[in-house]
Each structure stands twice: as structure tokens, then as C-alpha cells.
Amino acid sequence: MSVENAIQTPNDQILLKVRNLKKYFPTSNGVVRAVDDVSFDVSKEETLALVGESGSGKTTVANVILGKYVADAGSILYKGYEIGNIPLIKRNLLLRREIQVVFQDPATSLNPKKTVKDIIETAINIHYPNLNKYEKIERLLILMNYVGLTEDYLFKLPGELGGGEKQLVAIARALATNPTCLILDESTSNLDVSAQSRILKTLLRIQKSKNLTYILITHDLAVVKNISHRINVMYLGKLMEIASVEELFSNPLHPYTQMLLASIPTISEEESKTLPKGIESKGEIPSAINPPSGCRFRTRCPFVMNICSEQEPILNEVSHGHYVACHLINNMKK
Amino acid sequence: MSITELDYNLIIQKEKEVRKERFKRAWFRFKKSKLAITGLVILSTLLIMAIFAEYLAPYPEHAGMYVNFKERFQYISTKYLLGTDHLGRDIFTRVIFGFRLAFMMIGIVISIVMPVGTVLGLIAGYYKGKWPEHIVLRLADMFVSIPPLILALSICAILEPNIVNAMIAITLMWWPWYTRMVYSMTSSIRDEPYVWAARALGVKDRDIMFKEILPNILGPILTKATLDAAWVILIGSAISFLGLGAQPPTPDLGTMVSEYMAYFPTYWWMIIGPALGIAILVMAFNLFGDGLREVFAGD
């Protein structure tokens, strides 16, 4: 199966199509419905953010795309090819090359016993086995230069690097395969603010020059605002709202989105004015083992109605590219 | 940017220097512990003595079949540093040859048990939940469920009692402990993000096991090997003491203790040599192992 052939499919602009994706985890207390019937598209060269609290299933979605887990139901089409049912170990090199990942915790995402050179070289050796030793070193240095690491870092062990530098090495390793799609799984949330901005700038620069597609998983809306194009808001394994960044920040419709936006900490009066007036956050995310009936957000929603517990809201397009799953919004539209 | 041969050589040169520097730092950490150095010094002295036993021992011919009743039961003197035994053989000579046998036994047992146990443990831990795990672990459980000394003794009893079979017995009883230790470490590391990153890159399972996971658990494995060396001597001595290991006149420390026990306490000094030999060897290995643990803990 060649991934390259799939580029000529009619839906040219869509890289990844997720349809009715379900992933359940059986536990001793019951089945955790981590991802429950989620559908969305990822266009080429865009940054799609998956946003939600812990336990909303955003990392599980990314892990299914990566192949860490196999989808229980639904499909994931990558360039027209079904990949949701292929576990990572069964994927061929060509497919693994296409989708790479940068993990959350820089401390554990690099092998503590390998130097920076060894770490990046592993990736080059696998995906470019035909290069000679000079070309390999050259490619290694280009990659390091690309993410902004100098030659001095070549022989450092991860333990000798700062959090931001470790994450840069992880990015260089992911780029070594020349990927099309990069999954950023909370890649900046464990870093301090200065390192965070360095990583974000690097990511933006790389995206422009390499035409990469990012799937950004985060709970940090400030990061989302800076680098993503579209946002998927997830809650308890369901999609609540899909919108472009501008639309979502200027006109958030779902009460959960409003709650998330209201929870961005602000310092000055002016800054708080730039953010939409939200609603106070209350309560904790319920268990995914036994989610609330109907709308899953109803237990925390200030606008809860009778219909919310009876019927599950479906994603409706309210304006171009802006989807919301909420009875309140649907009623208002009618 | 283009890499010339000169640039390349400079990079390789630098890599070597950095490696040397890392080794120096590890040595420094080891050196800090006085006890570890003591262990190392004793071990290397004993090893040199064992290797050059023929030249260092005062009466090399006393190691094997040799009888001289005129000189039996001699007390400690300058002529016989640790006295002579019931057949008139120099005990000091026999202890030195005993060290040679002990080192050989440790070398052979550890060099079989450590790689075999490690590889099986890696496989079982990496394929957790699949059939290799079940096979390896159940097999290990079978061996672990029998007390080690009893297992070794029964194997020796089935086979002919000699030094080779004693080593086979120790090897058979030892590997499950390595396997279980490596298994538990591997199964916790296999889900680390860096292992997932390697999988996402397409690193082969074999390379993930040996290049990603193994370097991270090598420290505890080597430490266990040195500490185990002491146990090999003790178990080997116990088997010999019970008459199922090396047979006289083989100069085995355990066999010697068992032989000379018969003349205790009338000729009490006979037992001092071999008993002290075992004690010093075990202690030296333990001190050295503790030092190694320090080195790896600092990494």
C-alpha cells in the first residue's frame, strides 16, 4: 500500500478524516468511554487544536491516530487510506514516516542513556539507510540547526539539557523522518513560559517552511490562540464545538467553550476585555465510565433544560465552518 | 552546509573525548567510596594470585594428589603460612588454587546466567500480555518455587557429584532471578514515551529491546551480577561442603572446609585458611558491588 498514490483522491485538501471514532477501555469498574463517536477533518497544512480538560479524550484521539491504540469503531482515513484499525507495530515505514509525534513530558520522551546525536541518528538510520556517513552527519546537523540547537549539543545527554532544549531534540527527531503530520501531545504544557514561547516560535517557523500539518493537543488556550487555525473542543469523549480560532474566541457558542475561555487567567483589565465574557467554571469533569445521559455537559451547564437529559445534541453547523452540539443554540437558531 | 571528511573526523574525535570524560566521571564516583576501592583492590589481588597460582604458591604440587605424612598437621609457621593438612599438604597453596577455582566458577556461572536471564527477561517484559511472557515467566516460576539450595542439591544428586555438575546446578537455579528482575524493569520501561517514540519511528523490536531499554537497566543488572558472585561462592561452597560438589583432592574452598572440619578442634588452624578465603572473597565482591551501585545511581 503506497500512501503517495492517495494524494490524487478528490478530497485533495483533507489530510485526515476521522469518522464516528470510538475507543473504549474496559476496566474493573466498567467501560471507560474515552472517545465516543467523534468525527472531524484535518486539512493539509493547518494546525488543528484538540482542546478540553483532562479526561476529555483528546490524547486518546491522538493515540489512535498514531496507532498506539486501535479504534473500536469508526474510521480514520489518512490521505484516503484507512489507518484506524492498523496498530503501530503493523504500520509500514512509509506510514510511520508520515505521522510523527512530540510527547508531553520532555523528561521521559528522550532515552536518558543516549546522546542527542544518537537519538536523532536512530531516526535517520531507519528512514535514510542509503545515505553515507557524511550525508547522515550532515542531515543530523541540518536538523539540529533547523530547530535551533548548535553543534555543542551533539554529545549531551538528555539529563544535561533544559526542558525546552529536550523538547527541541524531540522535535528534531520527529522531523528527521520528513513527516507530513506532526502530533503535538501537550508538547508545551510541561515547560516554563520562556521555553514555551521558544518552542512555539520554532514550531510556527517549521510549519511554514515544511508545510506541515499539526494536530495540537492541549488544555492551554493561550497556546491555542497563538498557533492554531481551527479548534475542536472536546468534553468527555464528545466533540462540543468546532470553529476557527478567530470565530471561537470572538463568538464562543457552547457553554463549555465559554467556561474554558473564562478560565484563562488574565492580569490587566485591558487583557480581560480582549477575551469574551464567559461563565464561571463549576464542578469537575464526570467519570467517563458512566457519563450523564443526553448532553454530557448538562451536569455543569448553567443553561440546562429538560431536553438536555433526554436527547443527545448533535453537531450542527451554525455558520460556515462553525459547528456546535448544544440544544440551547439549536433552539435559538430555530 | 556540506560535511567533509575533516569535519566528520572532528565530530568523531569529539565524541570519543566526551565518552572518555563520562567514563572518568563514573570512575570518580566509584573512587569516592573507600570501601568500594578496598573491594576492588582485594578482588584484583586475589585474581592475580589465582591467575599466577603456579608461580606464587610456595608448593604448587600440593594442590593436587600429594601425600607427605611426615609433615602432616603442621602448625602455622614461616615454612607453611597456614599450616599443613592431614595429608601434609600446604594449606596456603591449596587456598590460592581454591581462589582460582572460585573465580572460574563465578566466571562461568555469571557469564551464562546473566546474558540468558537478561535476554529472557527482556523478551518477557517487552511482550507483556503475549505468549512469550507466559512461557518465560511460568518456566521461571517453576524453578523459583523450589528453594535454591534444595534445587541445586537435587540436581547434583541426580548427576554425578563433581565441579562441572555443581556449576550446572547453580546455573539452572540462578537464571530465573535475573529473568524476573529484568522482566519487572523492562515491563515498566516499555511504555515510557521514548520507547513509544522509537516505535513511532519504526525501530525494530529487537533494537528497542537492546538499544533503548537495555542501556537503562544495565546498571542494576551489573550490580546484581557482582553481588551474586558472592552468592555463587557461598552456594558452591555449601554444595561442596555437603559432598555433592568438587571431590577431593580438588582444591575447592568449600570442599576443604568440609574435609578439615573432621579435625576440628584438635587441629583448629586447618580450617582458618579456606574459611577466611571464602569470607574475604564474598566480602570483596559485596564491597565492589556496592561501589558499582553508587556509580550507576549517579547516572
Side-chain angles (χ1 to χ4, degrees), chain B residues 22-53:
Chain B
R22 292 238 157 80
F23 183 77
K24 260 192 208 157
R25 253 182 274 167
W27 171 242
F28 180 76
R29 273 202 297 274
F30 183 84
K31 227 169 41 178
K32 271 196 306 194
S33 159
K34 290 265 175 346
L35 287 174
I37 285 289
T38 316
L40 182 65
V41 169
I42 296 175
L43 273 188
S44 21
T45 317
L46 293 183
L47 192 63
I48 290 169
M49 276 166 76
I51 292 170
F52 300 105

Side-chain angles (χ1 to χ4, degrees), chain B:
Chain B
M1 187 163 50
S2 173
I3 296 288
T4 63
E5 200 173 338
L6 184 69
D7 294 332
Y8 181 80
N9 287 338
L10 276 175
I11 288 171
I12 298 298
Q13 176 100 31
K14 178 92 192 295
E15 189 169 24
K16 272 184 197 148
E17 274 166 31
V18 172
R19 266 203 202 127
K20 225 181 189 173
E21 182 62 30
R22 292 238 157 80
F23 183 77
K24 260 192 208 157
R25 253 182 274 167
W27 171 242
F28 180 76
R29 273 202 297 274
F30 183 84
K31 227 169 41 178
K32 271 196 306 194
S33 159
K34 290 265 175 346
L35 287 174
I37 285 289
T38 316
L40 182 65
V41 169
I42 296 175
L43 273 188
S44 21
T45 317
L46 293 183
L47 192 63
I48 290 169
M49 276 166 76
I51 292 170
F52 300 105
E54 278 92 350
Y55 310 102
L56 292 174
Y59 311 99
E61 69 279 7
H62 289 207
M65 298 266 226
Y66 177 87
V67 180
N68 179 7
F69 285 115
K70 244 164 70 190
E71 302 270 323
R72 70 201 291 235
F73 302 132
Q74 293 287 310
Y75 186 64
I76 295 166
S77 65
T78 43
K79 193 180 175 198
Y80 301 112
L81 285 175
L82 292 170
T84 61
D85 65 5
H86 55 294
L87 298 175
R89 297 173 296 193
D90 178 34
I91 294 175
F92 182 64
T93 304
R94 290 179 62 77
V95 168
I96 291 178
F97 278 90
F99 283 140
R100 170 186 281 189
L101 209 66
F103 276 115
M104 263 168 57
M105 196 142 127
I106 293 162
I108 292 170
V109 170
I110 299 285
S111 64
I112 295 172
V113 166
M114 194 169 65
V116 171
T118 304
V119 170
L120 286 175
L122 272 173
I123 290 172
Y126 189 76
Y127 295 110
K128 200 177 181 177
K130 301 206 180 104
W131 62 267
E133 183 206 14
H134 301 310
I135 292 178
V136 170
L137 282 194
R138 294 301 82 78
L139 206 63
D141 283 348
M142 254 166 59
F143 282 91
V144 169
S145 62
I146 310 166
L149 193 59
I150 306 284
L151 177 65
L153 286 177
S154 38
I155 295 167
C156 286
I158 297 165
L159 305 167
E160 218 175 297
N162 61 38
I163 189 88
V164 178
N165 289 339
M167 283 196 277
I168 292 173
I170 298 173
T171 311
L172 275 175
M173 57 151 277
W174 219 282
W175 71 267
W177 300 98
Y178 272 90
T179 302
R180 283 161 67 109
M181 185 186 74
V182 173
Y183 163 78
S184 66
M185 290 192 294
T186 307
S187 56
S188 72
I189 289 182
R190 68 190 278 270
D191 283 324
E192 288 282 317
Y194 62 83
V195 177
W196 275 106
R199 285 194 194 106
L201 284 173
V203 181
K204 288 193 195 87
D205 281 358
R206 197 190 58 215
D207 286 348
I208 291 182
M209 279 188 250
F210 290 102
K211 290 183 185 162
E212 304 285 337
I213 297 176
L214 185 59
N216 286 289
I217 58 175
L218 203 58
I221 293 175
L222 288 178
T223 308
K224 184 175 165 57
T226 34
L227 296 176
D228 273 359
W231 275 104
V232 170
I233 302 165
L234 287 177
I235 297 265
S237 302
I239 294 172
S240 300
F241 181 82
L242 295 170
L244 291 166
Q247 297 301 311
T250 320
D252 176 79
L253 295 173
T255 315
M256 277 152 71
V257 173
S258 126
E259 266 183 283
Y260 301 164
M261 268 296 276
Y263 305 95
F264 191 82
T266 323
Y267 306 107
W268 56 268
W269 61 87
M270 282 168 68
I271 211 163
I272 288 180
L276 214 58
I278 295 173
I280 290 174
L281 203 53
V282 169
M283 189 188 68
F285 268 112
N286 276 319
L287 292 176
F288 180 67
D290 285 342
L292 269 191
R293 183 154 43 198
E294 280 303 303
V295 170
F296 290 117
D299 255 6

Side-chain angles (χ1 to χ4, degrees), chain A residues 40-329:
Chain A
F40 62 90
D41 291 337
V42 185
S43 315
K44 276 183 188 155
E45 296 171 31
E46 78 163 342
T47 302
L48 177 82
L50 287 174
V51 180
E53 287 166 289
S54 319
S56 58
K58 49 197 196 312
T59 300
T60 309
V61 171
N63 282 338
V64 177
I65 296 171
L66 183 69
K68 204 167 164 177
Y69 309 130
V70 179
D72 287 336
S75 73
I76 298 175
L77 294 175
Y78 180 80
K79 290 184 177 174
Y81 281 94
E82 175 61 50
I83 61 165
N85 54 10
I86 318 174
L88 186 56
I89 41 168
K90 296 250 169 73
R91 292 186 180 183
N92 60 21
L93 272 188
L94 214 56
L95 184 55
R96 293 197 207 196
R97 175 187 296 184
E98 293 275 317
I99 305 173
Q100 280 295 315
V101 60
V102 179
F103 288 107
Q104 171 176 14
D105 187 3
T108 55
S109 65
L110 303 177
N111 191 336
K113 290 283 149 75
K114 286 176 121 184
T115 60
V116 172
K117 175 172 176 274
D118 291 339
I119 288 168
I120 304 176
E121 227 172 25
T122 309
I124 298 175
N125 283 338
I126 290 170
H127 291 277
Y128 298 92
N130 299 327
L131 298 182
N132 66 34
K133 58 182 181 180
Y134 304 120
E135 289 165 336
K136 276 179 184 163
I137 286 278
E138 186 177 338
R139 195 171 158 73
L140 173 75
L141 290 176
I142 290 173
L143 276 166
M144 284 181 61
N145 192 19
Y146 208 78
V147 297
L149 291 171
T150 59
E151 241 176 88
D152 301 334
Y153 287 94
L154 260 182
F155 304 112
K156 294 216 168 166
L157 291 171
E160 299 161 353
L161 302 174
E165 290 161 343
K166 276 184 213 162
Q167 212 58 307
L168 288 176
V169 175
I171 292 170
R173 171 178 61 190
L175 290 179
T177 68
N178 220 349
T180 311
C181 176
L182 205 56
I183 298 172
L184 306 168
D185 186 359
E186 308 247 19
S187 302
T188 56
S189 43
N190 269 20
L191 303 173
D192 58 52
V193 184
S194 60
Q196 204 169 352
S197 74
R198 185 180 175 191
I199 300 283
L200 291 179
K201 275 178 196 157
T202 312
L203 285 172
L204 277 176
R205 183 164 51 77
I206 293 166
Q207 184 173 36
K208 272 191 197 119
S209 57
K210 294 233 169 189
N211 302 330
L212 284 176
T213 305
Y214 287 159
I215 298 175
L216 175 73
I217 292 141
T218 184
H219 53 256
D220 188 344
L221 283 162
V223 170
V224 170
K225 201 178 178 188
N226 278 325
I227 78 165
S228 56
H229 301 114
R230 284 197 308 133
I231 300 180
N232 286 1
V233 180
M234 282 188 79
Y235 184 80
L236 264 187
K238 289 267 186 196
L239 275 176
M240 292 290 149
E241 188 163 4
I242 303 177
S244 66
V245 169
E246 300 81 23
E247 177 79 11
L248 194 92
F249 276 84
S250 61
N251 184 23
L253 290 177
H254 199 285
Y256 179 57
T257 315
Q258 293 174 17
M259 184 191 278
L260 279 182
L261 289 173
S263 63
I264 301 179
T266 51
I267 301 165
S268 62
E269 279 281 305
E270 287 123 64
E271 203 185 349
S272 63
K273 272 178 202 157
T274 62
L275 289 170
K277 270 236 154 41
I279 49 178
E280 278 297 298
S281 157
K282 67 167 186 181
E284 290 272 310
I285 190 162
S287 158
I289 291 176
N290 207 352
S293 64
C295 175
R296 295 197 174 182
F297 185 59
R298 72 179 162 86
T299 51
R300 295 167 74 190
C301 184
F303 313 114
V304 63
M305 302 178 295
N306 286 339
I307 189 174
C308 293
S309 58
E310 291 152 11
Q311 208 182 328
E312 203 176 309
I314 48 163
L315 269 179
N316 265 334
E317 188 164 18
V318 282
S319 60
H320 180 67
H322 192 161
Y323 298 82
V324 183
C326 180
H327 289 303
L328 183 72
I329 308 298

